[in-house]
């Protein structure tokens, strides 16, 4: 049984580059998500068992929130220091990460759905494991 819990995200700095997406944590460290995200319309479902990170930018595309979905490895204190949020979902559960951005767990897969009638930022989904990473941007369908 894990002692990991939901953590509310803080606003972090974001830089969109031609090589990928840079997120600067509150503690000054940076994460770089490699490659130009593949665009998908409306929603995406990740492959089973992948680490899933959802980045929602504001309309300026220079800040946003980053949320880890079902991450059981990162200690609560580390997330709180960095500003990264976390949501833990059981199979079939869903949560609204941000107005208009819903995440669901479906048999070890994460589905992220965006309602652009509600949200006006950009939404990126990063899935990764020890074999590699893939990135997506959910666009209005």
């Amino acid at each position: 049984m894990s002692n990991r819990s939901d953590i509310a995200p803080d606003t972090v700095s974001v830089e969109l580059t031609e090589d990928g997406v840079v997120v600067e944590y509150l503690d000054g460290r940076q994460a770089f998500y490699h490659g130009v995200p593949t665009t998908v319309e409306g929603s995406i479902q990740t492959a089973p068992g992948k680490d899933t990170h959802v980045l929602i930018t504001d309309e300026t595309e220079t800040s946003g929130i980053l949320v880890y979905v079902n991450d059981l490895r990162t200690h609560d204190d580390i997330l709180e220091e960095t500003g990264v949020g976390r949501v833990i979902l059981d199979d079939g559960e869903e949560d609204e990460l941000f107005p208009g951005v819903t995440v669901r767990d479906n048999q070890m897969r994460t589905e992220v759905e965006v309602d652009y009638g509600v949200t006006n930022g950009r939404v990126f989904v990063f899935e990764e494991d020890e074999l590699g990473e893939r990135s997506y941007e959910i666009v209005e369908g």
Side-chain angles (χ1 to χ4, degrees), residues 11 27 50 57 66 72 80 90 133 135:
T11 301
D27 64 6
K50 300 285 186 180
T57 72
L66 180 63
L72 298 177
E80 290 167 355
D90 289 327
E133 62 184 58
S135 59

Side-chain angles (χ1 to χ4, degrees), residues 1 13-14 17 21 32 34 41 48-49 59 63 72 76 84 87 93 98-100 106 109 112-113 116-117 120 129 141:
M1 188 85 178
S13 295
V14 176
T17 73
V21 179
F32 182 67
H34 299 280
E41 292 185 358
E59 54 278 346
S63 64
L72 298 177
D76 291 4
V84 175
V87 62
E93 283 189 326
F98 190 80
N106 184 13
R109 296 174 182 262
V112 181
E113 184 175 26
Y116 278 103
N120 58 3
D129 61 14

Side-chain angles (χ1 to χ4, degrees), residues 12-17 21-22 55-64 120-122 124 137:
V12 294
S13 295
V14 176
E15 182 182 358
L16 306 178
T17 73
V21 179
V22 180
L55 173 66
I56 306 159
T57 72
D58 65 6
E59 54 278 346
T60 70
E61 302 174 4
T62 60
S63 64
N120 58 3
R122 293 174 75 176
F124 298 93
E137 179 178 5

Side-chain angles (χ1 to χ4, degrees), residues 7-14 23 25 33 53-58 62-68 83-85 96-99 101 119 122-124 126:
I7 305 287
D10 285 318
T11 301
V12 294
S13 295
V14 176
V23 175
Y25 301 129
Y33 295 97
H53 305 167
V54 180
L55 173 66
I56 306 159
T57 72
D58 65 6
T62 60
S63 64
I65 61 168
L66 180 63
V67 179
Y68 293 176
V84 175
E96 187 173 55
L97 299 182
F98 190 80
V101 181
T119 192
R122 293 174 75 176
V123 178
F124 298 93
F126 308 104

